[in-house]
Amino acid sequence: MVEIELDGKKVEVVEGSMVMHAAEKAGTYIPHFCYHKKLSIAANCRMCLVDVEKVPKPVPACATPVTQGMIVRTKSDRAIKAQQSVMEFLLINHPLDCPICDQGGECQLQDLAVGYGASASRYEEEKRVVFHKDVGPLISMEEMSRCIHCTRCVRFGQEVAGVMELGMSHRGEHSEIETFVGKSVDSELSGNMIDICPVGALTSKPFRYSARTWELSRRKSVSPHDSTGANLIVQVKNNQVMRVVPLENDAVNECWIADRDRYSYEALNGPDRLTMPMLKQGGEWKEVDWQTALEYVATGLRDVKAQHGANSIGALVSPHSTLEELFLATNLVRGLGGDSIDHRLRHAEFTKSEGVRHLGLPIAALSQLQRVLVVGSNLRKDHPLFAQRIRQAARHGAQVSAITSAKLYKSADAWALPVANALVTEAGQWAQALAAVAAAVAADKGVAAPVSVQATPEATAIAKSLLGGERKAVLVGNAAAHAANASTLLALANWIGAQTGASVGYLTEAANTVGAQWVGAQPQGAGLNAAQILAGQSKAVVLLNVEPEDTVAGPVAAMGLGKAEMVVTLSPFKTNLAFSDVLLPIAPFSETSGSFVNAEGRVQSFHAVVKPLGETRPAWKVLRVLGNLLELPGFDFNTSQDVLAVATAKPAPLSNATGAAINLSASAGEPVSAAIYQLDGLVRRATSLQLTADAKASQQRANEGAAA
């Protein structure tokens, strides 16, 4: 540790720290633009100049290492004059368009100009003009004349997103931030550049000119998409969601969110919203009141149970639903005496798991790993924020290995991080590949392998990597979890983890995959699984936030449901019209209270940020009333918190153990996995997300498959 004196106070910091770090620890604010705690130091804005004793001129606090006994003054005349001079230089070319700038009210330059800027400029020359650039549907670069060349966006792309999509061309007053050869910005984390831009150069294209920042109410929430459980600030005006930005939480998402977390709000006010209950009568859809719709559903479920038995009533529930909704849906099916409920919509194997499958380590620990093996995942697109953490680990020397397919790993830069060893093979051969890694580990340790397989050179390289280092993990991805031999893959991963000292875990697909398992939203006995329900073996089907045609396997999924006597859809959107008999409008995450359980098993609750649209109702209330109409016990709840208390009364049995036998026979075909902007109903309906390069690529693939 090194002790320095900062504005008369003694501050102790780690050797190698910068003066800026000491100031942060002491709670002393030093004005800055280019410095950001999550990015490398550039020292190119010079706004953080401070006065250091025995140094002949002011020095940048962000790039000046502390030394024992150093005396620093941040508010001396010399420091203040230096900072004022820098501000004057920054404002020479900055346009005077604050009244129409989207950054107005949350602009660092605007704030610091009040403290360090002059009331008038000494410069009368014409200001520099930078031509606008079109970099895609998410980020607006219309006013690049505002750019102060802090290079935060450039460093973010290189260091956090892993893709240097922006760079600085030319020199001096001709310098510009731009893409390379007219390309668009396509990173799945690109929206974070808007947050870290200290001026109004990079702004949100969908939000542009729609509201002023001081008009917005700010409310906390949690992302309903992937299993990170990113913390959000949802900004609201006139009972409408206008913008979504990150809420900093170092244990979960740090200060970043994925683009689908940021822009999916567009679907909340889209034309597809269902605002009234609807019944299909004589082949035509008619709006009805809630009492009529719910009594119709209750009567239909009673009749089906009486004629065909309780297990003929099936429920498909989305793992993007809240814990409370999943708990009540499960209780509804089991209260009727059945067991046919499932959240595993994309799975090909439906073995009973021994516990709740989860990440196997804290999310924050991903950044500290030294060895990683990822099995069956398109890491960067499936889990952008997990990939970002593993990318940070790789930048600090971690070795990342992958067992994947060409579809999930198209090239060496597919994950935007250095991959030390990649074993690329067909999905049906992943078990063989993992067995080869196990054989290499067994040979190195002199123990018996779990199955007799010859170790390949690629498998040996992966095994050698896992046998080194201290903090290590084997991470099973979405495609591996959905595979027809998923239990074999897990059994092999567990054996490798036990022999190498690595934790073993699932990256888990959706916001509440862990929560769905916790409340038992899958058959516990003789109930029908998702594949059987979709095949038409249920006489009545309840769909909670499920759109089979988009979620599972296209129109084939709807064919089986068409055989059912009654299909009830609970959704915020007008969907499943071809085979449903009832549509019940339920609230999306922004209009209901609830909880999600992320990949590490962290329960995160949230409140509604706006009132429900039209006659929309929270799904937990709809299910509660339905339970009351069916006279089922255990449906007397007044709030979602009451439901949560009962649902979480017993701790989640987090376990990735499996007693499955290892079967190395090849599984058929590529597992069904959602593309990044096809994951759930919200992202599928977010206009701007569907205009991105990732969305267009996935649509092209889907069209080719349909054509085939």
Side-chain angles (χ1 to χ4, degrees):
M1 299 293 284
V2 173
E3 186 179 78
I4 70 168
E5 183 181 305
L6 184 77
D7 291 340
K9 297 179 188 175
K10 299 290 186 184
V11 184
E12 204 172 46
V13 290
V14 177
E15 188 175 358
S17 299
M18 302 297 159
V19 171
M20 184 69 84
H21 301 141
E24 285 178 343
K25 186 173 182 181
T28 300
Y29 178 73
I30 298 175
H32 60 272
F33 293 113
C34 69
Y35 171 77
H36 190 282
K37 62 184 178 181
K38 297 290 184 181
L39 303 176
S40 63
I41 291 168
N44 54 10
C45 78
R46 317 309 280 184
M47 192 64 212
C48 65
L49 291 175
V50 293
D51 184 8
V52 177
E53 194 169 275
K54 297 181 182 178
V55 176
K57 61 180 182 180
V59 293
C62 68
T64 303
V66 294
T67 57
Q68 183 64 36
M70 174 187 275
I71 298 174
V72 181
R73 300 181 183 90
T74 68
K75 297 177 178 63
S76 66
D77 285 345
R78 188 160 70 149
I80 296 295
K81 284 179 181 176
Q83 292 161 356
Q84 289 173 339
S85 296
V86 170
M87 178 57 70
E88 183 177 25
F89 287 133
L90 287 173
L91 294 177
I92 290 172
N93 277 312
H94 198 78
L96 299 175
D97 60 355
C98 295
I100 59 122
C101 178
D102 257 7
Q103 199 83 352
E106 51 188 11
C107 173
Q108 275 183 263
L109 183 64
Q110 200 176 52
D111 292 343
L112 292 180
V114 173
Y116 299 91
S119 58
S121 175
R122 294 185 289 169
Y123 296 88
E124 297 178 354
E125 292 79 9
E126 286 186 13
K127 290 181 180 283
R128 177 182 84 132
V129 174
V130 179
F131 190 68
H132 73 269
K133 300 159 182 72
D134 184 2
V135 294
L138 305 181
I139 298 177
S140 172
M141 294 180 75
E142 290 290 321
E143 286 92 12
M144 289 307 291
S145 298
R146 299 171 183 162
C147 178
I148 60 170
H149 304 153
C150 69
T151 68
R152 279 185 177 185
C153 56
V154 178
R155 285 175 285 144
F156 172 84
Q158 285 178 296
E159 299 163 16
V160 180
V163 185
M164 188 178 175
E165 294 180 301
L166 294 178
M168 186 180 287
S169 63
H170 312 302
R171 301 189 69 178
E173 70 169 9
H174 301 294
S175 298
E176 290 186 33
I177 298 291
E178 57 185 333
T179 58
F180 297 100
V181 203
K183 289 188 176 180
S184 55
V185 174
D186 299 320
S187 164
E188 60 286 345
L189 297 172
S190 66
N192 294 291
M193 294 179 185
I194 298 165
D195 294 334
I196 63 175
C197 181
V199 294
L202 303 180
T203 53
S204 169
K205 194 171 276 189
F207 174 71
R208 189 175 164 80
Y209 296 142
S210 59
R212 307 297 296 186
T213 180
W214 52 83
E215 299 175 309
L216 301 172
S217 302
R218 290 159 174 79
R219 292 156 190 176
K220 298 178 182 178
S221 192
V222 179
S223 167
H225 306 304
D226 64 39
S227 58
T228 309
N231 291 199
L232 310 175
I233 295 287
V234 181
Q235 300 185 347
V236 175
K237 178 185 176 184
N238 296 336
N239 202 47
Q240 186 170 327
V241 176
M242 304 298 290
R243 185 167 64 165
V244 175
V245 295
L247 172 63
E248 186 168 351
N249 184 341
D250 269 347
V252 181
N253 56 298
E254 299 176 271
C255 56
W256 317 120
I257 54 175
D259 286 350
R260 62 184 169 201
D261 303 327
R262 184 181 302 273
Y263 294 107
S264 64
Y265 74 88
E266 287 184 294
L268 300 173
N269 306 304
D272 279 359
R273 281 298 301 273
L274 177 66
T275 57
M276 284 287 293
M278 299 181 77
L279 286 181
K280 188 188 285 182
Q281 297 176 339
E284 293 186 6
W285 285 101
K286 296 184 179 179
E287 293 184 347
V288 296
D289 59 69
W290 270 105
Q291 189 69 25
T292 302
L294 289 172
E295 286 180 354
Y296 180 92
V297 173
T299 301
L301 292 177
R302 282 197 202 96
D303 291 347
V304 168
K305 178 183 176 182
Q307 293 175 33
H308 305 287
N311 256 350
S312 65
I313 299 173
L316 294 177
V317 293
S318 168
H320 299 279
S321 304
T322 68
L323 191 70
E324 294 82 352
E325 293 162 4
L326 293 168
F327 176 74
L328 290 174
T330 303
N331 281 9
L332 184 75
V333 171
R334 300 223 161 91
L336 288 167
D339 187 38
S340 301
I341 183 169
D342 211 341
H343 73 279
R344 299 167 297 177
L345 305 175
R346 296 187 175 97
H347 286 231
E349 183 188 69
F350 296 95
T351 55
K352 186 176 179 182
S353 57
E354 298 174 18
V356 174
R357 293 176 176 177
H358 64 117
L359 186 61
L361 74 171
I363 289 173
L366 292 173
S367 306
Q368 308 300 321
L369 292 173
Q370 295 175 339
R371 299 288 188 273
V372 188
L373 171 58
V374 181
V375 182
S377 173
N378 185 351
L379 184 64
R380 178 182 165 193
K381 303 301 181 182
D382 289 348
H383 304 281
L385 294 172
F386 289 171
Q388 183 275 131
R389 285 193 179 269
I390 294 173
R391 189 174 296 120
Q392 301 315 310
R395 291 183 69 237
H396 291 98
Q399 291 181 10
V400 180
S401 302
I403 293 177
T404 183
S405 66
K407 180 180 177 181
L408 303 177
Y409 186 84
K410 292 182 179 177
S411 62
D413 61 353
W415 291 0
L417 58 84
V419 177
N421 309 289
L423 204 168
V424 181
T425 184
E426 294 179 7
Q429 299 297 322
W430 288 344
Q432 286 278 356
L434 261 182
V437 173
V441 170
D444 186 275
K445 299 196 69 176
V447 298
V451 61
S452 180
V453 170
Q454 186 70 34
T456 63
E458 296 94 337
T460 302
I462 292 174
K464 185 177 179 181
S465 175
L466 281 175
L467 287 162
E470 296 178 359
R471 301 180 297 276
K472 37 199 170 182
V474 179
L475 301 175
V476 182
N478 293 354
H482 300 162
N485 58 350
S487 57
T488 289
L489 295 174
L490 179 59
L492 287 165
N494 279 330
W495 189 92
I496 293 168
Q499 294 297 322
T500 61
S503 67
V504 177
Y506 278 90
L507 293 167
T508 71
E509 179 181 24
N512 219 3
T513 301
V514 171
Q517 298 171 79
W518 189 356
V519 299
Q522 58 197 52
Q524 305 295 307
L528 302 177
N529 60 45
Q532 293 167 328
I533 295 171
L534 286 165
Q537 295 186 31
S538 294
K539 298 299 181 181
V541 181
V542 177
L543 302 175
L544 175 61
N545 278 319
V546 171
E547 299 173 295
E549 292 185 358
D550 294 307
T551 304
V552 191
V556 176
M559 292 169 60
L561 292 176
K563 302 174 187 176
E565 294 178 13
M566 183 174 75
V567 177
V568 182
T569 291
L570 288 80
S571 174
F573 304 105
K574 294 175 184 174
T575 186
N576 300 342
L577 299 177
F579 50 82
S580 293
D581 299 286
V582 191
L583 299 181
L584 301 179
I586 59 170
F589 82 105
S590 57
E591 299 169 17
T592 184
S593 56
S595 309
F596 293 130
V597 187
N598 70 4
E600 69 179 10
R602 180 187 296 258
V603 180
Q604 299 186 106
S605 297
F606 55 91
H607 296 287
V609 299
V610 292
K611 295 176 183 176
L613 193 64
E615 288 298 306
T616 297
R617 296 289 181 268
W620 73 267
K621 287 187 177 181
V622 175
L623 292 165
R624 181 200 64 190
V625 174
L626 198 52
N628 292 335
L629 288 174
L630 290 165
E631 299 179 345
L632 302 178
F635 280 82
D636 300 320
F637 300 104
N638 294 320
T639 67
S640 62
Q641 286 82 2
D642 294 340
V643 183
L644 178 66
V646 176
T648 58
K650 294 181 180 178
L654 296 174
S655 171
N656 291 314
T658 178
I662 295 174
N663 178 10
L664 294 187
S665 59
S667 61
E670 188 86 17
V672 176
S673 289
I676 183 169
Y677 298 135
Q678 297 295 317
L679 183 62
D680 57 75
L682 285 176
V683 296
R684 286 193 291 270
R685 290 175 174 85
T687 306
S688 296
L689 291 177
Q690 294 309 316
L691 294 173
T692 60
D694 276 330
K696 289 175 181 176
S698 66
Q699 289 159 9
Q700 288 163 5
R701 284 200 299 272
N703 289 339
E704 288 167 8

